[in-house]
Amino acid sequence: MNEHRQDKDQNNKPNASFENSGHHGNLTGATTTSDTSPVQANSSQRVLIVTAVDAEKDAVLRGLGNTAAERFDVIAAGVGPASAAAGTAATLAYAVAAASTRALAQGSTAPSPSDVAQASATSDGPGPLAGAGSPAYMLVISAGIGGGFPGRADVGSLVVADAMVAADLGSQTPDGFLSVDELGFGSSIVATDAELAARLRHELQRAGLAVSGGTAVTVSTATGTAETAAELLRRVPDAAAEGMEGFGVATAAQQFGVPALELRAISNAVGPRDRDAWRIKDALDALQAASSILREVISS
């Protein structure tokens, strides 16, 4: 199938950022921020929302509305777990640095770079930077469109994940795939803020939006076959959604001691690649609607 053909249904045409590949496509100009500064005067109460591309970021901002700047910063960090982690970590680090600068200006003592480096080198728990002053953000959210596992998350619905799993982080062996957990090299799982995830799902349901829980799997290569989809379910039996950024965002947030969520709007079924069945506009509309409810949940 010609990947560069125009969409037959102009009302369902994706943003140009999505047109040329998997879930996200062209990255040109994708790494952008909202019009507000990454750190505001009331930064300890702010929420950082990380998307992959501008089309997702714009949908989130439309949902948040004119009040977005009061509580939210929204960035498009790029596609894939590495870009997502780097963009998230850079924003959080900038916020910590700004908080330290303010503390120094007020006569307090900020952590030295060597202290931070030592903490990072010796800590195996969340947040080597968690003690570097007041947290700049109360929450980090990975938000965007993605695939839904059939029977668990229908196209056009939403998933508020209970956990984010790097489903392809590990090693192939003669006996099959082994995760980094099984190999003893770390963890491929980051849990969400369970209470907030449950509350957001409840409010989305109250608003009449279809939403489910389960695990959001993060992959570096979007699934395109039934065999790969089945293998992912073998590795992660409660998988509901597939994306390419959630684990990266959550890992970066974890390093700073900040809780994380993942919100996915489902544009396609995880399985055989069928672009004619993709509903990217519907997914972006669902992401916008969910962001409106998110604003109310966070502000309450």
Side-chain angles (χ1 to χ4, degrees):
M1 181 181 298
N2 183 0
E3 293 285 359
H4 299 281
R5 66 167 176 78
Q6 291 188 345
D7 223 301
K8 295 178 181 178
D9 181 358
Q10 291 298 318
N11 291 328
N12 200 38
K13 183 176 181 180
N15 179 283
S17 297
F18 287 87
E19 287 183 337
N20 296 328
S21 72
H23 293 302
H24 301 301
N26 184 1
L27 296 186
T28 303
T31 305
T32 57
T33 63
S34 62
D35 294 334
T36 60
S37 168
V39 184
Q40 304 292 333
N42 60 339
S43 61
S44 64
Q45 299 300 312
R46 298 189 69 74
V47 175
L48 175 62
I49 301 179
V50 183
T51 69
V53 296
D54 284 339
E56 295 167 323
K57 173 189 157 188
D58 292 343
V60 169
L61 287 172
R62 287 194 300 271
L64 294 176
N66 295 331
T67 62
E70 297 174 6
R71 297 290 301 276
F72 299 89
D73 297 314
V74 186
I75 67 171
V79 173
S83 292
T88 303
T91 303
L92 294 175
Y94 176 87
V96 169
S100 296
T101 299
R102 288 195 298 271
L104 287 173
Q106 296 168 3
S108 302
T109 301
S112 69
S114 61
D115 290 339
V116 171
Q118 180 65 23
S120 181
T122 60
S123 174
D124 60 0
L129 293 177
S134 299
Y137 292 99
M138 61 177 285
L139 178 69
V140 177
I141 301 173
S142 175
I145 70 172
F149 286 86
R152 304 181 182 195
D154 295 333
V155 174
S157 70
L158 298 158
V159 171
V160 179
D162 297 304
M164 290 78 82
V165 173
D168 54 7
L169 183 59
S171 176
Q172 292 288 347
T173 77
D175 298 320
F177 176 82
L178 292 178
S179 69
V180 292
D181 309 72
E182 294 168 310
L183 292 168
F185 294 153
S187 179
S188 60
I189 304 169
V190 179
T192 67
D193 182 323
E195 181 179 352
L196 183 56
R199 184 152 60 96
L200 178 56
R201 282 194 295 267
H202 175 71
E203 293 302 322
L204 291 170
Q205 290 171 339
R206 284 188 59 194
L209 299 173
V211 60
S212 57
T215 294
V217 298
T218 299
V219 295
S220 295
T221 301
T223 297
T225 67
E227 291 76 13
T228 303
E231 173 62 14
L232 286 176
L233 286 174
R234 187 193 69 77
R235 297 178 191 176
V236 187
D238 67 339
E242 174 186 276
M244 301 177 77
E245 295 79 33
F247 180 78
V249 172
T251 298
Q254 186 180 56
Q255 293 301 301
F256 287 81
V258 182
L261 287 180
E262 182 165 0
L263 170 64
R264 287 284 156 190
I266 305 305
S267 60
N268 58 278
V270 177
R273 183 179 173 89
D274 180 6
R275 289 203 51 150
D276 288 333
W278 290 5
R279 287 166 45 192
I280 292 178
K281 181 180 182 302
D282 290 345
L284 291 172
D285 288 345
L287 182 61
Q288 177 179 335
S291 298
S292 177
I293 303 302
L294 174 66
R295 177 189 63 199
E296 298 173 7
V297 171
I298 297 298
S299 300
S300 62

